[in-house]
Amino acid sequence: MSMKHFLLIGLLALLSACASNQVLDESLSESELYLLAQQDLDANSYGAAVEKLRALESRYPFGRFAQQAQLELIYAYYENLEPEAAKSSADRFIRLHPQHPNVDYAYYMRGMTSFTRDRGIFERFLPLDMTRRDPGAARDSFNEFAQLISRYPESRYAEDARLRMVYLRNLLAAYDVNVGHYYLKRGANVAAANRGRYVVENFQQTPAVADGLALMVESYQRMAMPELAETSLKVLRTNYPEHPSLDGDTFRHHVEPAERERGMFNAMAGDLLGKVMTPPSRDAGTQMEREMEQKYLEARDALPREIRAPARPEEEGRSIWSRMTFGLFD
């Protein structure tokens, strides 16, 4: 079956799901509504779960499941590919319950909605170079994860947020490198040199620093500024001797990012990034939350090695096969 058929089937399934409109019995109790919502979440029927959670919240605003339903509504919106609704729900929960013991989950999900804002249902399964897309959502997500870590450094979501921030920082740096290469193609050498210097000064310890230096070398050479070009080239040779623009004593600049870097980001945006999009749960109280926890563990193991946190003591006994496959087949 061709890709077109898969896309058509997916689109028809989505339209069919959107078209279903279940009428909820007005006599349902709070417990019954919550149980039905849990069953929908277990079955991945997120649209139906949204309807029931919204009904529960409106009918029983002060019930014992009201705040839990608000949290799970954020998750249901997120999984139903409604990022703006998920973010609004997270903002509302933070505003109404700033001292809630699980408010850190709302902060985390606010960052997740921005993290996946530019990735629709098709983009999740198609190979995209995210370094060439508008970085607005990436910046928002980075700032929102930073706010989570600043407010709740001991949160169970803090480690995952830090890993995503590393990825986002690499993404933003690579985007600036692409902008610099665009300037070079258009003959805007001053702008290209400035963009390369910005990457070097503001994105240390990212793969894009080497490309930023190469941008500076090429730009200064084109502007007949040999001293600045030689200084930048010396730094590049000393710190990144394997960079593709270096061929022995010869500097041959390319007008695209290094293949090594592009390959890393394409992998993140393709197979692996799709696995990183499922958020972890708040606790393990329901079947839905246990399932979310399992998805989180799988997503954590799927992160590229370059941005993974050091292994914990309990992980040191993992087999070689488990380490080679990042735990995907454990």
Side-chain angles (χ1 to χ4, degrees):
M1 188 178 293
S2 67
M3 176 62 71
K4 290 183 179 179
H5 291 104
F6 280 118
L7 294 179
L8 181 59
I9 292 172
L11 182 59
L12 292 175
L14 179 63
L15 293 175
S16 175
C18 293
S20 63
N21 188 12
Q22 180 182 6
V23 178
L24 295 176
D25 189 346
E26 294 288 340
S27 65
L28 289 172
S29 68
E30 180 186 12
S31 298
E32 289 172 332
L33 271 175
Y34 185 74
L35 179 60
L36 289 174
Q38 290 298 312
Q39 291 173 352
D40 288 334
L41 290 171
D42 290 341
N44 299 330
S45 300
Y46 299 112
V50 165
E51 294 180 12
K52 295 178 177 63
L53 291 170
R54 291 180 61 182
L56 189 155
E57 184 184 3
S58 62
R59 295 180 189 180
Y60 306 97
F62 304 106
R64 62 191 182 105
F65 293 111
Q67 294 182 9
Q68 180 72 9
Q70 291 174 15
L71 282 173
E72 293 184 353
L73 185 60
I74 301 171
Y75 172 81
Y77 273 134
Y78 176 87
E79 289 291 347
N80 203 42
L81 302 180
E82 299 181 66
E84 294 303 326
K87 189 167 187 176
S88 297
S89 298
D91 288 336
R92 180 170 175 267
F93 188 89
I94 292 169
R95 184 175 66 256
L96 294 177
H97 312 289
Q99 303 302 321
H100 193 279
N102 292 324
V103 71
D104 58 331
Y105 178 77
Y107 278 99
Y108 174 78
M109 287 303 296
R110 190 168 64 173
M112 283 297 299
T113 57
S114 296
F115 188 81
T116 59
R117 191 166 71 201
D118 293 336
R119 303 179 180 96
I121 185 171
F122 298 123
E123 285 82 354
R124 292 193 180 197
F125 304 102
L126 297 177
L128 297 174
D129 187 353
M130 300 304 296
T131 67
R132 296 178 182 273
R133 306 190 68 176
D134 178 44
R139 291 196 182 100
D140 290 344
S141 182
F142 185 92
N143 293 333
E144 286 156 354
F145 284 137
Q147 187 177 18
L148 165 68
I149 294 173
S150 174
R151 289 176 178 267
Y152 305 98
E154 302 302 322
S155 168
R156 64 174 299 181
Y157 312 108
E159 178 182 356
D160 181 79
R162 291 188 182 96
L163 291 175
R164 295 180 192 276
M165 288 176 68
V166 172
Y167 164 76
L168 290 168
R169 190 166 179 266
N170 290 345
L171 193 74
L172 292 170
Y175 172 82
D176 279 320
V177 168
N178 280 324
V179 172
H181 288 136
Y182 174 83
Y183 289 153
L184 275 182
K185 290 179 181 179
R186 298 301 182 271
N189 299 320
V190 175
N194 289 338
R195 189 63 63 133
R197 186 171 67 251
Y198 177 82
V199 171
V200 172
E201 292 176 352
N202 293 278
F203 293 101
Q204 284 294 315
Q205 298 180 343
T206 67
V209 170
D211 285 327
L213 286 167
L215 268 175
M216 294 170 65
V217 176
E218 179 66 15
S219 301
Y220 290 140
Q221 287 181 349
R222 293 187 183 188
M223 291 187 291
M225 303 175 72
E227 293 184 0
L228 291 176
E230 185 60 31
T231 300
S232 302
L233 182 57
K234 183 177 181 181
V235 175
L236 179 64
R237 283 175 175 160
T238 302
N239 294 278
Y240 305 96
E242 302 300 323
H243 192 266
S245 63
L246 298 177
D247 183 11
D249 295 332
T250 305
F251 174 82
R252 292 192 178 93
H253 187 257
H254 50 282
V255 292
E256 296 293 337
E259 289 299 322
R260 169 184 51 80
E261 179 187 344
R262 292 182 63 189
M264 180 185 71
F265 280 106
N266 285 339
M268 288 182 179
D271 297 336
L272 295 179
L273 189 57
K275 301 177 184 299
V276 182
M277 290 188 186
T278 301
S281 63
R282 303 168 304 286
D283 51 59
T286 66
Q287 174 63 29
M288 178 271 296
E289 290 163 344
R290 289 193 293 273
E291 192 172 299
M292 289 166 62
E293 177 68 16
Q294 179 61 32
K295 288 182 179 180
Y296 164 64
L297 295 175
E298 293 173 357
R300 183 196 62 188
D301 289 339
L303 284 167
R305 185 175 299 275
E306 292 84 355
I307 64 172
R308 297 175 75 187
R312 294 178 177 178
E314 60 268 22
E315 296 178 341
E316 292 179 354
R318 292 172 58 189
S319 66
I320 295 177
W321 171 253
S322 175
R323 295 177 185 276
M324 289 177 62
T325 60
F326 301 107
L328 293 176
F329 302 101
D330 290 352

